[in-house]
Amino acid sequence: MCGIAGILDENHHLENQQVIFNDMIQTMKHRGPTSDGLYLEDHVALMHTRLAIVDVEKGLQPMQINEYTIIYNGECYNTEELRHDLEEKGIVFHTSSDTEVILHAYIYYKENCLQMINGIFAFAIYDTKEKSLFLARDPMGVKPLFYTFVDQILLFASEIKTLLAYPLVRAIIDEHSIHQIAYLGPGRISGSGVFKNIYEIKGGEYATYSSSSFQIHPYYELKAQPHTDSYDETIEKVKSLVIDAIKRQLVSDVKIGAFLSGGLDSSIICAVAANHYKKEGKQLSTFSLEFEENDLYFIPNHFQPTSDIPYIDLMVDTFKTNHTKIKLKSADLIDALY
């Protein structure tokens, strides 16, 4: 997880606002504790906080290639396929990071690159030659991307608190905000940031901003199709897709761990990951969370007929993971909620 934020102000120079930008960066440090960076031009500021996963040394951001500068939060699961495609077109890479691949893909294919990326992402690319900004969010909207306009200034960020760190942006609750909090909380209307005049780029959308014109475009829509596969074909296809999705997310230059709850989802993920690691001579680290005295107070119900703990132990024993049990007291949960 990383954090991105930016400002485009066509009417004022931004060089004297570095203190403000540093404050905005600090609101994102929990998203990217490894490093942070700032790209500053007359009317544009791009901020990034990084959690380094791939190419720790060279994958620093903001990253610049010619007139294009990118800030990116996400993971591209088909990085090597995209890199190979671009190398065949004569493009030379200087890092092993997916950030450079995403930027080159945009430079070559422009917005059509979004159809080629298999991953979760939110990124911004500024073109100094055209004085234009490109914002994009992954098809399912896994990575967040909020924006607002104030006094003809465009601001965007991974989190709302970063927008609110800019002095001109105010946290205003209106009638629509109250409706969402009262009837939908903790959910909200797609595209809304709950606060007045704060919005989000939806999953499957990209936005362009140039010459005071801000336009949002959809590039992906989930569509229903008739299911014509047989039962056996369905099993094989789902199995293949699930295993492929898990293995693609194991690419990393740092250690990887997995949460293990004992439920079906986490157990499948841990089983596939542990088997993959075993072939490479590695051991998967897993982590589980439980409350003290859970065995005394657990009450079976239709939703959860048995405790998770026996299933966690079964998974650990079967796949020989390096397991860590984290025990919490009820007071810890109360303190965290507060």
Side-chain angles (χ1 to χ4, degrees), residues 146-150 155 160 163-164 168-181 188 191-200:
F146 296 93
Y147 71 93
T148 188
F149 279 92
V150 55
L155 299 101
I160 293 173
L163 298 177
L164 296 177
L168 295 180
V169 180
R170 298 173 57 200
I172 300 174
I173 295 293
D174 61 8
E175 180 181 357
H176 297 290
S177 308
I178 298 298
H179 287 167
Q180 293 187 66
I181 294 168
R188 54 188 168 79
S192 168
V194 180
F195 291 106
K196 185 178 180 180
N197 296 329
I198 293 181
Y199 312 96
E200 68 173 347

Side-chain angles (χ1 to χ4, degrees), residues 165-310:
Y166 195 76
L168 295 180
V169 180
R170 298 173 57 200
I172 300 174
I173 295 293
D174 61 8
E175 180 181 357
H176 297 290
S177 308
I178 298 298
H179 287 167
Q180 293 187 66
I181 294 168
Y183 296 113
L184 298 178
R188 54 188 168 79
I189 297 171
S190 178
S192 168
V194 180
F195 291 106
K196 185 178 180 180
N197 296 329
I198 293 181
Y199 312 96
E200 68 173 347
I201 305 292
K202 297 178 185 177
E205 290 184 341
Y206 71 88
T208 57
Y209 184 67
S210 179
S211 301
S212 300
S213 174
F214 183 77
Q215 295 182 329
I216 294 179
H217 309 269
Y219 71 89
Y220 176 85
E221 182 182 5
L222 191 62
K223 296 179 180 178
Q225 301 282 358
H227 186 71
T228 58
D229 292 345
S230 69
Y231 180 74
D232 290 337
E233 288 172 335
T234 301
I235 290 174
E236 194 58 39
K237 187 171 290 186
V238 170
K239 178 181 178 181
S240 174
L241 289 170
V242 169
I243 291 175
D244 179 69
I246 295 169
K247 285 184 176 180
R248 284 180 181 272
Q249 296 186 57
L250 297 177
V251 178
S252 174
D253 292 335
V254 297
K255 291 182 179 180
I256 289 180
F259 289 117
L260 178 56
S261 69
L264 183 63
D265 296 346
S266 73
S267 295
I268 290 173
I269 292 170
C270 289
V272 174
N275 284 334
H276 180 76
Y277 266 33
K278 185 178 180 181
K279 292 178 182 177
E280 297 182 346
K282 300 178 183 178
Q283 184 183 27
L284 180 69
S285 293
T286 53
F287 301 83
S288 63
L289 192 67
E290 60 186 75
F291 286 94
E292 287 188 350
E293 301 181 330
N294 180 70
D295 53 333
L296 296 178
Y297 297 104
F298 176 77
I299 300 174
N301 55 66
H302 290 295
F303 176 72
Q304 189 175 9
T306 60
S307 171
D308 290 330
I309 297 172

Side-chain angles (χ1 to χ4, degrees), residues 57-189:
E57 294 183 0
K58 296 181 181 178
L60 299 176
Q61 297 187 49
M63 182 179 288
Q64 191 169 7
I65 298 175
N66 299 326
E67 66 266 31
Y68 300 95
T69 303
I70 186 173
I71 47 175
Y72 162 70
N73 168 34
E75 294 179 75
C76 178
Y77 303 134
N78 62 333
T79 296
E80 293 311 311
E81 293 97 318
L82 276 177
R83 189 194 306 275
H84 180 70
D85 170 73
L86 293 165
E87 284 175 337
E88 286 189 333
K89 292 173 172 57
I91 294 170
V92 177
F93 289 88
H94 301 284
T95 76
S96 59
S97 71
D98 54 351
T99 306
E100 187 182 11
V101 173
I102 296 290
L103 182 52
H104 271 301
Y106 173 78
I107 293 171
Y108 193 88
Y109 291 108
K110 292 299 186 283
E111 68 273 9
N112 292 327
C113 73
L114 299 174
Q115 306 290 348
M116 307 170 70
I117 300 171
N118 175 358
I120 52 176
F121 56 83
F123 64 82
I125 297 175
Y126 182 68
D127 182 343
T128 57
K129 186 177 180 180
E130 299 295 330
K131 304 298 181 186
S132 62
L133 183 70
F134 182 84
L135 299 169
R137 193 175 178 201
D138 63 81
M140 294 293 103
V142 176
K143 295 299 184 181
L145 187 55
F146 296 93
Y147 71 93
T148 188
F149 279 92
V150 55
D151 292 351
Q152 297 182 311
I153 304 169
L154 169 64
L155 299 101
F156 64 90
S158 296
E159 297 191 19
I160 293 173
K161 64 168 68 73
T162 306
L163 298 177
L164 296 177
Y166 195 76
L168 295 180
V169 180
R170 298 173 57 200
I172 300 174
I173 295 293
D174 61 8
E175 180 181 357
H176 297 290
S177 308
I178 298 298
H179 287 167
Q180 293 187 66
I181 294 168
Y183 296 113
L184 298 178
R188 54 188 168 79
I189 297 171

Side-chain angles (χ1 to χ4, degrees), residues 9-35:
D9 183 351
E10 295 179 327
N11 299 314
H12 304 92
H13 292 281
L14 301 177
E15 290 90 343
N16 62 347
Q17 297 187 33
Q18 292 203 35
V19 173
I20 296 173
F21 303 149
N22 288 333
D23 289 341
M24 295 175 71
I25 288 172
Q26 288 306 309
T27 67
M28 303 189 294
K29 286 298 289 183
H30 63 287
R31 300 184 65 89
T34 307
S35 62

